[in-house]
Amino acid sequence: FVGAPADGGAALGSSDWAEIFSRVAAEPDAVYAEHMVRTATGDHPPPSEPGPLGRPAHTSRRKQLGTVARRQVRLIGADRGYLVFLCALPFVLGGLALLVPGSSGFEPLAPGEKPGELAFVLILLILGACFMGLSLTMRDLVGERMIYHREQAAGLAPSAYLAAKIIVFGIAAVVQAVLLVLVVALGKGLPATGSLLPLGGVELVVGIALTTFTCVLFGLALSSVARSNEQVMPMLVVAVMVQLVLSGGLIPITGRPVLEQLSWLFPARWGYAAVASTADLRAKDPTAEADPLWQHTGSWWLLDIAMLVVLGLALAVFTLTRVRVRGR
């Protein structure tokens, strides 16, 4: 179709662009035949001589950030299936933690109960946080790559584009993390006191939310590296499984050269250490590993949280570099 946007609905049979593109993809021959009929009957204006492209529009990064953020929110809301998946995910993952046998939860081990309940609850919390953060953003940058290239040519700043993504997905990650902890609290309770904060439940939410947010940045970094949408799912599975193993809650990590140092590069390692410190895992589970990162003190908890922040900043810088290189 060639002409004013307002006339597109009458010529194409619909003013809904999503419907138009779906029909073009489903019936390309029929749509092309209609186009040729319109061309033969002169239902479109003759093509004009192309004019100079001019220079890209110069708008502030703040306005660009706001525009991209609003669009991202509308995109999430328009994909109903994806929105339902995001809303249901914390309830499903939290429900899995409730299936762990035992009634002690975050309290000291009750007489006659086998140890291991608290460790399993914490590993499922961290696994849920990692999966939620990665699933929010793994497909985002690679799916919009061609659109981003056109918009960058029109003046979009890479920093504004990435910042808008981080803000929107970061807020979604925090909401999901809060819901995840609330679901687990219904069946397993919350820690009475934290390592630093007097309210252990608040400290637990901070650890899970920051882990989820850091995995949002991890997902954006992986999405900037992916070459096609087909690579997203294998990368997601590998990223989740590697973090599950290297978190330190599933197999011993401390004191194992190379493996221990490698685990420092993943959010799950520091996220699990933060929540294990909050829950005082070493004191409540006699079978727990003597990992120094899990000590129930404010200084060790702050170290775990600080490392999550450092990892997040490093991932954001890496992604921004990749986005700029891709744009050029």
Side-chain angles (χ1 to χ4, degrees):
F1 170 73
V2 179
D7 300 333
L12 300 175
S14 174
S15 58
D16 186 344
W17 289 106
E19 181 180 341
I20 291 171
F21 284 121
S22 296
R23 183 163 180 261
V24 170
E27 305 173 357
D29 294 335
V31 174
Y32 179 69
E34 294 173 3
H35 165 70
M36 295 304 294
V37 170
R38 286 197 305 271
T39 302
T41 56
D43 287 345
H44 63 87
S48 58
E49 291 294 326
L53 293 177
R55 295 182 177 181
H58 292 285
T59 56
S60 67
R61 282 180 168 80
R62 181 178 60 84
K63 290 183 178 179
Q64 292 182 0
L65 188 152
T67 300
V68 176
R70 288 192 299 270
R71 182 182 66 183
Q72 189 63 56
V73 172
R74 288 195 293 267
L75 286 173
I76 294 174
D79 192 342
R80 299 297 175 84
Y82 182 56
L83 183 61
V84 170
F85 169 76
L86 295 180
C87 293
L89 198 54
F91 295 97
V92 173
L93 296 173
L96 293 177
L98 298 180
L99 298 178
V100 177
S103 57
S104 298
F106 289 89
E107 298 298 324
L109 196 64
E113 286 198 354
K114 295 181 179 180
E117 177 191 2
L118 182 55
F120 276 114
V121 171
L122 293 180
I123 193 63
L124 287 174
L125 275 171
I126 290 300
L127 178 64
C130 293
F131 185 75
M132 289 189 305
L134 288 168
S135 62
L136 273 170
T137 54
M138 277 288 295
R139 68 174 189 170
D140 191 71
L141 296 183
V142 64
E144 291 186 358
R145 187 161 292 156
M146 297 306 299
I147 297 173
Y148 165 71
H149 289 170
R150 291 194 293 270
E151 292 180 341
Q152 189 185 35
L156 176 62
S159 57
Y161 175 74
L162 184 60
K165 300 282 187 182
I166 293 174
I167 291 173
V168 173
F169 289 122
I171 293 173
V174 171
V175 172
Q176 284 186 317
V178 172
L179 291 175
L180 176 64
V181 174
L182 289 177
V183 171
V184 174
L186 293 177
K188 299 296 183 180
L190 293 171
T193 58
S195 299
L196 180 68
L197 304 179
L199 296 177
V202 174
E203 190 173 292
L204 182 66
V205 169
V206 171
I208 296 298
L210 189 55
T211 302
T212 310
F213 182 78
T214 308
C215 284
V216 163
L217 298 171
F218 190 19
L220 286 172
L222 292 176
S223 186
S224 69
V225 173
R227 296 182 178 273
S228 66
N229 286 317
E230 288 73 19
Q231 295 181 351
V232 169
M233 186 56 66
M235 293 175 70
L236 174 61
V237 173
V238 171
V240 172
M241 294 304 297
V242 168
Q243 293 202 90
L244 175 63
V245 172
L246 296 181
S247 65
L250 190 64
I251 62 173
I253 296 295
T254 306
R256 302 178 68 177
V258 180
L259 188 63
E260 182 178 11
Q261 287 72 38
L262 183 63
S263 70
W264 296 344
L265 303 177
F266 294 92
R269 170 61 167 157
W270 303 103
Y272 188 84
V275 297
S277 174
T278 297
D280 198 7
L281 178 61
R282 292 178 59 178
K284 295 176 181 177
D285 187 347
T287 63
E289 183 185 353
D291 193 322
L293 298 178
W294 301 353
Q295 294 186 50
H296 188 63
T297 62
S299 58
W300 283 101
W301 183 80
L302 284 175
L303 172 64
D304 301 330
I305 294 299
M307 288 304 300
L308 282 173
V309 173
V310 170
L311 271 179
L313 291 174
L315 289 167
V317 171
F318 172 81
T319 306
L320 180 60
T321 303
R322 293 288 303 176
V323 168
R324 284 175 171 166
V325 170
R326 289 281 188 180
R328 286 198 293 268

